[in-house]
Amino acid sequence: MASNVDIGPVRIFDTTLRDGEQSPRTSFSYDEKRRIAATLDDMNTHVIEAGFPVNSDAEFEAVSDIAAATDTTVCGLARVVEGDIEAAIDSGVEMVHVFVSTSDVQLEDSMHATREEAKGRAVDAVEQVKDAGVECMFSPMDATRTDPEYLIDIVEAVSDAGTDWINIPDTCGVGMPTSFGETVNAVVEATDARVDVHTHDDFGMAAANAVTGFENGAEQAQVSVNGIGERAGNAAYEEVVMAVESVYGVDTGIDTTQITKLARIVEEASDIPVPANKPITGRNAFAHESGIHAAGVIENADTFETGVMTPEMVGAEREFVLGKHTGTHSVRKHLVEAGFDPTDSEVRKITKRVKEYGAGKRQVTAGDVERFAEEAGVTREEEVRV
């Protein structure tokens, strides 16, 4: 069932190579960065945030090479510091993303600056980027914990300075969809710049908040593949893209058939396993074991899947898993695909063995099913019954 809320146009800003790499204990090599960027580019991702150019010579080189090699817009991150911005511009990126803390707790205990000082630095940073002829994005960091009046004050100031984009970051993941939507709407009303959102998953709301951003006027969401990123991570690329495409019916222009491949590339490079129950790309996302579910899906996939998203849409395959909860429909399907021609009685007999075997917390493989069938004397299709 599609959403009754209209959104669009929708753009995807991928930050896997920047915020994603900031996941604890994660570091991408130069070649891994290039491979991930090339895949994102091939999929028609709208923006790739390739890194933080001032961070190191190796980071600068990777960002610069990605900017030169890709067709999509490449972005570099910078603090509201002249040297950071110069490094980003020198790297050859088409967009510079500048940020400054705006919540009182971060201003006082991290930046050690006043609200007015932060606003002044933000305006200077935006002007520096725009004077260089580069597209500018400004982020009031920790926006969801920022005094609402001050948030609008700094948004208006950087808008007057000429920023192209305002990004609204839920830096600590405390935003809930309703309140986050209100914040996005307030910013949209206060600026002529295009609005973007960046949501974290500390309470499991990142994808929901990203979509809520679209519902309230944001044109773009920042995401990372597999949801990796600081602490609990970011809104997941695959979740936001497929929600927009399948539930809202919006064509993002992204080649979604490469999503599963992209997820595996990032999983390997980040060394962060994709949970089995991960939406879209987990190994259970299109897997069925329950007899009732499997029987329904074999008849019509829409019975126990979303009805608006198929495994083929994301480059995955549907799987019927055998185990404790398996029913006769799945067993018959496996037997027939293995070349057997079972009777109803034989299917019931093999199903009982599968259930018993799976109840011992053992994985039931296709080989096990064939062995059970052979031991039960089930004939192959090419054999003649007498």
Side-chain angles (χ1 to χ4, degrees):
M1 180 177 179
S3 171
N4 59 4
V5 179
D6 290 330
I7 64 173
V10 167
R11 290 165 50 94
I12 298 298
F13 177 117
D14 182 83
T15 187
T16 305
L17 299 179
R18 199 277 297 172
D19 199 331
E21 192 182 23
Q22 290 174 206
S23 301
R25 295 172 290 279
T26 294
S27 177
F28 297 136
S29 69
Y30 172 87
D31 288 341
E32 288 168 340
K33 280 204 166 202
R34 290 295 300 274
R35 185 183 183 197
I36 293 167
T39 306
L40 289 166
D41 185 34
D42 189 51
M43 292 172 66
N44 301 317
T45 306
H46 302 95
V47 182
I48 298 171
E49 189 168 45
F52 195 178
V54 80
N55 189 49
S56 67
D57 290 342
E59 183 81 347
F60 180 92
E61 180 184 5
V63 173
S64 182
D65 289 350
I66 289 169
T70 54
D71 293 326
T72 192
T73 298
V74 174
C75 178
L77 185 70
R79 295 167 297 183
V80 288
V81 175
E82 188 174 340
D84 282 30
I85 297 168
E86 287 179 354
I89 293 168
D90 290 345
S91 72
V93 297
E94 294 91 351
M95 176 189 289
V96 175
H97 178 191
V98 296
F99 68 96
V100 69
S101 294
T102 54
S103 66
D104 287 336
V105 65
Q106 288 193 2
L107 284 170
E108 293 170 9
D109 297 326
S110 179
M111 275 196 68
H112 306 292
T114 66
R115 289 182 177 183
E116 284 304 307
E117 288 171 339
K119 184 169 70 172
R121 293 180 196 175
V123 168
D124 290 344
V126 170
E127 290 177 344
Q128 183 182 350
V129 175
K130 294 307 296 177
D131 286 346
V134 178
E135 191 171 7
C136 182
M137 173 178 284
F138 171 75
S139 287
M141 187 161 68
D142 209 14
T144 48
R145 298 196 299 173
T146 296
D147 174 72
E149 290 187 7
Y150 177 60
L151 177 63
I152 298 304
D153 184 30
I154 198 168
V155 162
E156 291 176 340
V158 295
S159 298
D160 290 341
T163 192
D164 300 286
W165 288 91
I166 299 286
N167 171 50
I168 307 171
D170 183 23
T171 304
C172 294
V174 298
M176 297 292 115
T178 299
S179 60
F180 187 68
E182 291 170 352
T183 298
V184 173
N185 184 261
V187 171
V188 168
E189 292 294 319
T191 183
D192 291 329
R194 304 169 80 178
V195 175
D196 171 268
V197 296
H198 178 108
T199 56
H200 277 269
D201 211 31
D202 296 74
F203 289 98
M205 297 291 167
N209 282 335
V211 172
T212 297
F214 290 138
E215 289 187 344
N216 284 273
E219 293 183 42
Q220 184 169 270
Q222 299 192 6
V223 297
S224 69
V225 180
N226 299 337
I228 65 173
E230 292 277 6
R231 305 181 314 281
N234 295 272
Y237 182 110
E238 57 279 4
E239 294 174 23
V240 175
V241 169
M242 293 314 298
V244 167
E245 290 262 355
S246 299
V247 180
Y248 290 81
V250 175
D251 182 4
T252 63
I254 289 172
D255 179 5
T256 64
T257 65
Q258 296 192 59
I259 279 179
T260 298
K261 179 184 79 172
L262 175 65
R264 300 297 175 257
I265 291 171
V266 173
E267 179 180 32
E268 180 181 355
S270 66
D271 201 28
I272 300 175
V274 173
N277 65 334
K278 170 77 174 62
I280 319 298
T281 56
R283 72 176 186 270
N284 289 351
F286 298 100
H288 305 274
E289 180 178 329
S290 164
I292 294 172
H293 285 230
V297 171
I298 289 170
E299 184 71 23
N300 177 0
D302 290 358
T303 54
F304 288 102
E305 289 183 4
T306 66
V308 291
M309 178 176 64
T310 65
E312 292 79 14
M313 289 169 67
V314 297
E317 294 181 357
R318 185 175 292 109
E319 181 183 8
F320 294 96
V321 179
L322 298 172
K324 177 182 177 181
H325 309 291
T326 295
T328 56
H329 288 77
S330 281
V331 171
R332 181 182 295 279
K333 179 178 175 61
H334 276 79
L335 288 170
V336 170
E337 289 177 351
F340 291 94
D341 184 21
T343 64
D344 290 346
S345 174
E346 288 170 337
V347 169
R348 289 193 294 271
K349 185 175 181 180
I350 302 304
T351 301
K352 182 179 180 182
R353 286 208 61 185
V354 167
K355 286 177 173 288
E356 291 172 348
Y357 196 80
K361 294 189 176 181
R362 289 172 293 190
Q363 182 178 357
V364 183
T365 67
D368 291 325
V369 176
E370 290 192 41
R371 176 167 56 85
F372 297 157
E374 289 167 354
E375 291 174 355
V378 180
T379 58
R380 298 273 186 176
E381 286 185 341
E382 65 271 15
E383 296 175 2
V384 178
R385 292 180 181 273
V386 291

